[in-house]
């Protein structure tokens, strides 16, 4: 009987449906976005030495970039819902083909919303800088501060902490700037200005982008 049981166990071990499934790498949620950017680059080969905006939906929805910065070769490489780590992972496909003189990154609020700590977001930013430096050593880099959106007012303290950390880190890195859009987007009581956002209270409206344009323009010269 014992021998029969051993034989049965050995046979069952080779039944395919009883074998554990091989671990599969998670699908890249940004695959379609990145492929679309590459298709654009293939259809119209990117010029070199321009300015690349990369980041989450605040960049993606900035559809007036070219009009807002006339005379400057700007490229929009925003993909909604992304974190800093996503921009770093795809930098070779988002940034490198353009060999830009300046890379502006907006990300961080999704990171905090998804559970990243201010310290982790700071480290993610430093990793982004390191990656861009590997790809385009001479490019300047600017971080657009995490914006204070009314929809995420519960994260204001974490946003302040993260912005301070990244500002300090940027000051120690060569060719890296921190652009404070956070403070001008607060009202006299220190609360997010609702007049700068669309109905979802998360994304910028035209007035919000006009404010960003005024604050960012000096860094593009």
């Amino acid at each position: 009987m014992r021998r029969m049981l051993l034989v049965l166990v050995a046979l069952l071990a080779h039944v395919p449906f009883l074998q554990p499934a091989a671990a599969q790498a998670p699908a890249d949620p940004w695959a379609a976005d990145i492929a679309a950017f590459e298709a654009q680059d293939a259809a119209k080969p990117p010029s070199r030495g321009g300015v690349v905006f990369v980041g989450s939906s605040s960049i993606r929805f900035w559809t007036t970039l070219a009009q807002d910065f006339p005379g400057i070769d700007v490229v929009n490489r925003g993909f909604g819902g992304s974190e800093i780590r996503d921009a770093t992972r795809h930098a070779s496909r988002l940034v490198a083909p353009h060999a830009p003189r300046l890379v502006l990154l907006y990300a961080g609020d999704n990171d905090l919303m998804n559970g990243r700590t201010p310290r982790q977001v700071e480290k993610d930013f430093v990793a982004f800088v390191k990656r861009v430096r590997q790809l385009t050593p001479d490019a300047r880099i600017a971080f657009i501060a995490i914006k204070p959106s009314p929809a995420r007012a519960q994260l204001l303290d974490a946003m302040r902490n993260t912005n301070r950390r990244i500002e300090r880190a940027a000051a120690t890195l060569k060719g890296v700037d921190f652009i404070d859009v956070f403070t001008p987007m607060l009202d006299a009581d220190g609360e997010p200005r609702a007049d700068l956002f669309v109905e979802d209270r998360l994304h910028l409206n035209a007035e919000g982008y006009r404010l960003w344009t005024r604050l960012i323009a000096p860094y593009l010269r």
Side-chain angles (χ1 to χ4, degrees), residues 3-221:
R3 183 174 180 180
M4 290 178 63
L5 287 174
L6 290 174
V7 171
L8 180 60
V9 169
L11 289 173
L12 289 174
H14 293 282
V15 176
F17 65 80
L18 292 179
Q19 294 297 312
Q24 295 183 352
D28 183 353
W30 319 119
D33 299 83
I34 305 304
F37 291 142
E38 290 181 323
Q40 293 173 21
D41 290 343
K44 182 181 178 182
S47 58
R48 302 171 69 85
V51 175
V52 173
F53 285 75
V54 64
S56 57
S57 55
S58 293
I59 300 300
R60 179 190 172 195
F61 293 142
W62 199 344
T63 58
T64 58
L65 267 179
Q67 299 96 295
D68 293 340
F69 301 106
I72 298 175
D73 184 10
V74 295
V75 178
N76 188 319
R77 287 296 177 262
F79 47 119
S82 61
E83 300 181 10
I84 293 176
R85 294 176 294 174
D86 301 311
T88 302
R89 183 167 61 254
H90 293 297
S92 63
R93 303 165 72 185
L94 296 170
V95 175
H98 303 270
R101 63 177 175 85
L102 173 63
V103 178
L104 293 105
L105 171 68
Y106 179 82
D109 51 346
N110 290 329
D111 313 50
L112 295 173
M113 191 68 184
N114 293 335
R116 302 290 283 174
T117 67
R119 179 170 174 77
Q120 287 174 323
V121 178
E122 174 195 1
K123 288 185 174 181
D124 292 341
F125 171 69
V126 173
F128 174 81
V129 172
K130 181 179 179 181
R131 180 57 177 150
V132 172
R133 286 277 180 266
Q134 291 172 342
L135 297 167
T136 56
D138 298 326
R140 293 188 62 83
I141 300 168
F143 181 80
I144 302 170
I146 300 172
K147 70 183 189 300
S149 57
R152 292 178 175 174
Q154 76 277 16
L155 295 174
L156 279 179
D157 287 342
M159 291 173 178
R160 287 189 179 94
N161 187 349
T162 305
N163 283 333
R164 283 195 298 266
R165 285 176 172 275
I166 292 180
E167 184 175 17
R168 288 196 297 265
T172 68
L173 299 169
K174 183 179 179 181
V176 179
D177 294 307
F178 175 86
I179 305 176
D180 182 16
V181 300
F182 181 91
T183 305
M185 296 182 71
L186 299 175
D187 62 20
D189 297 320
E191 297 298 323
R193 289 177 52 189
D195 62 302
L196 300 175
F197 293 84
V198 296
E199 290 77 8
D200 67 4
R201 294 161 50 86
L202 178 62
H203 297 102
L204 298 176
N205 60 20
E207 183 58 33
Y209 281 118
R210 277 192 288 270
L211 175 61
W212 274 31
T213 298
R214 291 196 297 272
L215 296 170
I216 293 170
Y219 293 87
L220 271 61
R221 295 170 183 162

